[in-house]
Amino acid sequence: MAFLQLISLVITSLIILHTIPSTISISPDPPTMILIDRICLETVNAYYCERSILSRLDKPHAEISTIAKIAAFNALFISKATIALIRDDFIDKADKPLTKTQLRTCLATYVQWGREAS
């Protein structure tokens, strides 16, 4: 179980490092912030969602299509990074057959989601 927790921590850390720069230079206007909040409040981690979208805005006002494209890009990047980590690192390092099976199931789920999203 500790191995899977470590994997989760590593994946989360890499995702955060990639998607949130140290400073966010754009301050969105109120209509844009309302759109971002409407999307992000439906996610598991609204704060992360909001920060990752804000970090990619290039002007204070954005349409819903722009915000959706940023959110979709983030989701696809995260899934591709997760697939690579599970496939290339974690399965080989798993020390128990059950852990390897769980990781393969997780990998298959991410791969299937990626196909459906394409």
Side-chain angles (χ1 to χ4, degrees):
M1 187 58 119
F3 182 73
L4 291 176
Q5 289 173 335
L6 177 63
I7 290 171
S8 177
L9 179 63
V10 169
I11 291 171
T12 302
S13 298
L14 289 172
I15 291 166
I16 289 170
L17 288 173
H18 170 74
T19 57
I20 301 177
S22 59
T23 61
I24 297 174
S25 59
I26 300 295
S27 180
D29 64 9
T32 299
M33 199 63 220
I34 290 169
L35 291 173
I36 292 169
D37 285 342
R38 281 179 43 202
I39 291 171
C40 291
L41 289 175
E42 300 297 321
T43 66
V44 174
N45 187 338
Y47 177 79
Y48 164 77
C49 174
E50 182 182 284
R51 295 286 125 200
S52 66
I53 291 172
L54 290 175
S55 71
R56 291 201 162 34
L57 288 181
D58 57 359
K59 54 187 175 183
H61 182 76
E63 298 297 326
I64 188 73
S65 59
T66 301
I67 296 167
K69 286 177 186 176
I70 293 169
F73 169 83
N74 287 342
L76 286 172
F77 174 83
I78 290 166
S79 86
K80 288 178 182 181
T82 303
I83 287 169
L85 284 169
I86 294 169
R87 182 192 61 226
D88 300 337
D89 293 326
F90 299 141
I91 290 175
D92 290 339
K93 293 178 183 172
D95 54 354
K96 297 177 183 171
L98 178 58
T99 303
K100 285 186 186 246
T101 300
Q102 291 169 332
L103 286 167
R104 286 186 184 110
T105 301
C106 184
L107 178 62
T109 302
Y110 272 100
V111 169
Q112 182 61 36
W113 180 84
R115 285 186 190 132
E116 291 172 4
S118 297

